[in-house]
Amino acid sequence: MTKVAEPRSATRSRVDGVDTARGLALIGMFIAHAAPVAATLEGAELLAIADERPRLLFALTAGLALGFISGGTRPTPAARGFAGGPARRRLRIQIGIRAVILIALGLIITATVAPLVFIILDVYGVAFLVLLPLLFLPKQVALGVGIVGLAIAPGLAVVLSREQWVADARLARVNLPVDWFISGAYPVIEWVPVMLIGLALARYGMTRPDVIAWTALIGTAAAIVFLPAGVALLELGAQQQLDPSIAASSVTSFAVGESLQALGNVGVGALVVAATVTLTGLARERVRRVASALLSPITAMGAMPFTIYTVHLLVLAAAIRVENGFKTDDSWPLTIGLIVGSMVFAWCWRRFVGRGPLEMGMRFVSGRTRNGGPRAT
């Protein structure tokens, strides 16, 4: 009997376009973390692009990754038994182990290396733990909950962060859980909805032309509609704060503005993912080959985000210096060095070794090399 080969799209374990989008998010983080303050308003507005969108794009691709490792369009089937049967339970344990490692590493780097940036590793791990019971939601439910949650959570975080009990928690030295979920730079209540949207997109099929088209269309519409409105409300809130008679109204402006801005920025992220997946996987063969070759260093970065992000924290910590009595690590040589160095290292490592070093370690410790797992399609 002749064995029929599976289609290439059914046997691939990664979607290059998603890795490319994640690599762009890393570059945006490098710029946000290491670029010096711009001397002109135009330059400041340009650098502001890297301030908010990369972290939400990173969260979106994290949700896509969870969707891929849990089966993509064909999620790991449920079975009788606790947590959906042995296969789903094993996958949740593997993700849980990764989450605990991320939390521990994030806290260790914060306490010992102490770079001058907010660290996402521990928040990332906490978000993974929160998502474990939501991992196999129906795709329609995951998408709906993600969108509604994203519309509410950023504004809710603004309101809750001003509550007295948050200040009391900080005084009682239990600020870490509060920062993780509400008042930190990367609150989990905002990250989880974005990850759910990414998870749902993986379930719908991020290599399907119709899904890509709808993702690009809705993402563009969200960016056009919500971003200007969100920015306008945030500016209004800043003005209201200056007038004591209407200062209380600024909380509402900030809350609604943050939610609208988050919706718009995730729309930008969805558009970026749609574009990179199209260029590297769905375009005509000649276009696809050229785009894949040109973007391969960025794709390689995005294929090993744990390694690249962790090393960049160590580099930032080593670059700390004192200027005018203040600690800083900002410089254009450092920014360019981080981007170019990460591209060269990631491309060479992926070309000659394969999976990123920390990714290999994480995979081994969590047990995926021993137990295997569903391939992403």
Side-chain angles (χ1 to χ4, degrees):
M1 179 177 177
T2 303
K3 184 178 180 180
V4 179
E6 287 185 271
R8 183 171 180 265
S9 63
T11 58
R12 290 187 60 185
S13 59
R14 303 196 70 90
V15 178
D16 284 346
V18 175
D19 285 336
T20 306
R22 192 183 296 111
L24 291 172
L26 286 168
I27 291 174
M29 287 185 183
F30 294 169
I31 295 172
H33 289 169
V37 177
T40 64
L41 178 60
E42 292 77 10
E45 291 176 346
L46 187 62
L47 290 177
I49 295 174
D51 189 34
E52 178 82 5
R53 296 176 184 89
R55 68 185 182 95
L56 293 176
L57 176 57
F58 204 76
L60 185 66
T61 58
L64 283 161
L66 284 176
F68 292 154
I69 67 173
S70 58
T73 57
R74 292 175 291 181
T76 305
R80 291 184 177 181
F82 177 70
R88 288 191 174 187
R89 184 167 61 249
R90 182 170 63 244
L91 179 62
R92 285 191 171 103
I93 290 173
Q94 292 167 349
I95 295 173
I97 292 172
R98 294 183 179 205
V100 171
I101 293 172
L102 288 172
I103 293 170
L105 184 61
L107 296 178
I108 290 171
I109 292 177
T110 300
T112 58
V113 180
L116 302 177
V117 296
F118 292 107
I119 296 173
I120 67 171
L121 293 175
D122 49 326
V123 182
Y124 205 14
V126 173
F128 274 17
L129 292 178
V130 173
L131 278 167
L132 286 180
L134 310 177
L135 195 57
F136 295 102
L137 283 177
K139 57 189 178 184
Q140 298 90 343
V141 175
L143 184 61
V145 172
I147 293 174
V148 173
L150 182 61
I152 296 173
L156 182 62
V158 170
V159 174
L160 292 179
S161 64
R162 287 165 167 75
E163 291 293 313
Q164 183 60 43
W165 63 267
V166 172
D168 294 341
R170 290 178 175 276
L171 291 174
R173 296 185 179 182
V174 290
N175 56 301
L176 187 58
V178 173
D179 285 344
W180 274 343
F181 286 93
I182 298 171
S183 58
Y186 310 109
V188 167
I189 63 170
E190 180 177 345
W191 271 46
V192 167
V194 181
M195 289 184 177
L196 277 175
I197 293 172
L199 177 69
L201 291 176
R203 293 282 184 258
Y204 277 103
M206 277 306 292
T207 56
R208 289 177 50 183
D210 58 333
V211 175
I212 292 295
W214 278 108
T215 300
L217 181 63
I218 295 173
T220 301
I224 292 173
V225 172
F226 296 125
L227 266 182
V231 171
L233 280 172
L234 292 175
E235 292 175 350
L236 175 62
Q239 294 172 1
Q240 290 172 330
Q241 272 191 325
L242 301 177
D243 187 345
S245 63
I246 57 173
S249 302
S250 65
V251 177
T252 302
S253 298
F254 282 130
V256 178
E258 284 289 346
S259 286
L260 292 179
Q261 184 173 247
L263 284 166
N265 283 330
V266 172
V268 173
L271 179 60
V272 169
V273 172
T276 54
V277 172
T278 298
L279 285 173
T280 59
L282 300 179
R284 292 182 178 181
E285 184 176 358
R286 182 176 298 179
V287 174
R288 187 171 68 246
R289 287 181 177 178
V290 172
S292 296
L294 292 176
L295 295 171
S296 60
I298 300 175
T299 305
M301 286 177 60
M304 53 184 79
F306 186 26
T307 297
I308 297 299
Y309 181 83
T310 302
V311 172
H312 117 278
L313 292 178
L314 302 180
V315 172
L316 288 177
I320 295 175
R321 63 190 186 281
V322 177
E323 284 187 1
N324 301 320
F326 296 95
K327 288 183 177 180
T328 183
D329 56 11
D330 295 349
S331 74
W332 281 116
L334 176 61
T335 305
I336 295 170
L338 280 171
I339 295 172
V340 175
S342 296
M343 286 183 181
V344 172
F345 168 80
W347 189 91
C348 292
W349 186 279
R350 195 183 194 202
R351 173 69 176 80
F352 298 107
V353 181
R355 195 180 301 273
L358 292 185
E359 282 74 15
M360 285 193 291
M362 180 80 82
R363 188 176 176 85
F364 176 78
V365 172
S366 66
R368 284 189 66 80
T369 55
R370 297 184 293 275
N371 298 321
R375 289 184 176 271
T377 58

